[in-house]
C-alpha cells in the first residue's frame, strides 16, 4: 500500500490528509484555541459520586469535572472492591458478583483515581474519562491492568500472527497487556520489542508519578496531531 500524509499549516488551523493508494481516507483538523485532551492520562480526584446514574465526577484540573460512567470502569477495580483475587477458586462467582457492584461501592468523594480522556468536553459538559487506560506505540497498544495479548484482525495470515505473539509473549507483565497493531505486519523482532519496552516504561512511570503527585495532575499528555498521525499511519514498510 502506498501511503501519504499531506500537511497544511495555517495560523488558524493545521490540517492533515491521509492518502492511501491515491484515495483520501481521513482528514484531521487541529486548531490552536482547542486544546486536545483525548488520550491524556490524569491523576484525578473523585469530586462526586451519583448512585442514581451509576456515575462519578472526577476533578482532573479542568473548569468542569470529568464524567466517569460505570461502563468505563476496569474489571480489576471490581475485583478489588469485591476482594476477589486472581487465583481465587471462586473467580467465576467473584466476576459475577463484581458485575452486580454499584459505583458507590467502588469510589468515595476525595479518592484518587487514574483516568484517561476518551471524549473532549463539550459546551457545559466536562470530558468523558475511563479507567481502561491504553498507550499507543508504533506497533503495539498497551492495555493497562489487563493480562491480554491480541493481534489486529487486519493481520490475517496465521503464521504472521503467531510470529508476532511469540515476540511479545516474553515481555508480558502481570498488570499490562498488548494488542499488536496492523503496522506490526512484517516488523522486525527488534523493532516490536523496542516498542513494547518503551510502552512498559511509560506505564511504569505513570504509576510511579501517580504515587508521588497530588491530584489533580497530568500523568501523560498525548502527542500533537502531526506526531500522532506519523506514529499511527507510518511503519517501516511504508517508509521504504
Amino acid at each position: 500500500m502506498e501511503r501519504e500524509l499531506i500537511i497544511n499549516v495555517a495560523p488558524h488551523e493545521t490540517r492533515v490528509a491521509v492518502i492511501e493508494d491515491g484515495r483520501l481516507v481521513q482528514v484531521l483538523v487541529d486548531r490552536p484555541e482547542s486544546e486536545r485532551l483525548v488520550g491524556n492520562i490524569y491523576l484525578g480526584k473523585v469530586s462526586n459520586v451519583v448512585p442514581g446514574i451509576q456515575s462519578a465526577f472526577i476533578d482532573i484540573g479542568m473548569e468542569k469535572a470529568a464524567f466517569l460512567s460505570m461502563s468505563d470502569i476496569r474489571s480489576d477495580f471490581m475485583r478489588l472492591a469485591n476482594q476477589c483475587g486472581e487465583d481465587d477458586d471462586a473467580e467465576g462467582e467473584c466476576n459475577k458478583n463484581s458485575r452486580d457492584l454499584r459505583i458507590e461501592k467502588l469510589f468515595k468523594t476525595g479518592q484518587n483515581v487514574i483516568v484517561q480522556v476518551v471524549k473532549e468536553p463539550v459546551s457545559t459538559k466536562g470530558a468523558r474519562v475511563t479507567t481502561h487506560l491504553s498507550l499507543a506505540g508504533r506497533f503495539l497498544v498497551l492495555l493497562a491492568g489487563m493480562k491480554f495479548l491480541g493481534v489486529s484482525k487486519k493481520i490475517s495470515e496465521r503464521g504472521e500472527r503467531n510470529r508476532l505473539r511469540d515476540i511479545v509473549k516474553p515481555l508480558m507483565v502481570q498488570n499490562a497487556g498488548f494488542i499488536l497493531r496492523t503496522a506490526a505486519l512484517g516488523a522486525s523482532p527488534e523493532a516490536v520489542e523496542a516498542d513494547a519496552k518503551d510502552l512498559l516504561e511509560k506505564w511504569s512511570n505513570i504509576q510511579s508519578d501517580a504515587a508521588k503527585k497530588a491530584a489533580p495532575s497530568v500523568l501523560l499528555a498525548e502527542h500533537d496531531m502531526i506526531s500522532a498521525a506519523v506514529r499511527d499511519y507510518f511503519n517501516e514498510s511504508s517508509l521504504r
Side-chain angles (χ1 to χ4, degrees), residues 1-2 13 16 38 61-62 124 130 132 153 167 182 226 233:
M1 177 188 297
E2 183 178 337
E13 69 180 19
V16 177
V38 169
M62 301 288 131
T124 60
T130 180
H132 294 274
K153 292 181 179 178
I167 294 171
T182 307
I226 294 175
Y233 290 102

Side-chain angles (χ1 to χ4, degrees), residues 2-238:
E2 183 178 337
R3 181 175 289 159
E4 298 177 83
L5 286 187
I6 299 176
I7 301 170
N8 176 261
V9 180
H12 63 288
E13 69 180 19
T14 298
R15 290 173 288 183
V16 177
V18 183
I19 311 292
E20 292 181 353
D21 293 333
R23 184 171 60 91
L24 177 67
V25 295
Q26 189 168 13
V27 176
L28 308 170
V29 179
D30 192 20
R31 296 183 176 89
E33 71 275 10
S34 57
E35 182 184 4
R36 296 175 71 245
L37 300 181
V38 169
N40 287 2
I41 296 176
Y42 296 86
L43 175 64
K45 185 180 289 289
V46 178
S47 58
N48 194 17
V49 178
V50 189
I53 58 172
Q54 284 300 288
S55 300
F57 289 90
I58 314 296
D59 179 9
I60 58 172
M62 301 288 131
E63 183 180 354
K64 298 288 184 181
F67 178 77
L68 175 65
S69 169
M70 191 72 172
S71 62
D72 289 317
I73 298 173
R74 244 174 34 216
S75 59
D76 58 321
F77 277 86
M78 314 287 195
R79 276 200 303 271
L80 287 171
N82 207 33
Q83 297 184 336
C84 295
E86 289 281 342
D87 300 319
D88 200 307
D89 289 338
E91 185 176 355
E93 188 63 27
C94 283
N95 288 337
K96 178 184 175 183
N97 294 339
S98 295
R99 288 193 293 271
D100 296 332
L101 281 172
R102 296 178 59 81
I103 199 156
E104 59 267 32
K105 296 289 187 180
L106 301 177
F107 296 108
K108 303 296 180 186
T109 300
Q111 178 181 340
N112 287 357
V113 58
I114 304 175
V115 294
Q116 186 168 32
V117 176
V118 293
K119 188 175 182 180
E120 301 283 355
V122 178
S123 185
T124 60
K125 295 182 178 180
R128 182 162 183 157
V129 295
T130 180
T131 66
H132 294 274
L133 310 181
S134 63
L135 303 174
R138 175 182 283 187
F139 304 116
L140 295 149
V141 175
L142 182 147
L143 306 174
M146 294 183 66
K147 194 171 183 181
F148 174 82
L149 178 57
V151 183
S152 167
K153 292 181 179 178
K154 292 184 178 179
I155 301 177
S156 57
E157 205 277 310
R158 180 172 295 182
E160 178 64 0
R161 293 174 67 87
N162 290 338
R163 182 187 77 90
L164 292 170
R165 282 197 184 96
D166 289 343
I167 294 171
V168 178
K169 275 180 184 176
L171 304 172
M172 296 282 288
V173 297
Q174 188 169 355
N175 67 339
F178 287 106
I179 295 176
L180 283 137
R181 308 179 70 179
T182 307
L185 178 65
S188 69
E190 293 78 14
V192 175
E193 288 172 5
D195 200 36
K197 290 176 180 177
D198 179 61
L199 292 173
L200 287 169
E201 183 178 2
K202 284 183 180 178
W203 174 225
S204 176
N205 290 339
I206 287 170
Q207 295 176 93
S208 177
D209 287 347
K212 295 182 292 187
K213 290 186 174 182
S217 298
V218 180
L219 298 178
L220 183 74
E222 179 58 288
H223 293 292
D224 64 84
M225 186 180 68
I226 294 175
S227 299
V230 171
R231 178 200 65 199
D232 292 343
Y233 290 102
F234 285 89
N235 55 41
E236 291 173 339
S237 61
S238 65

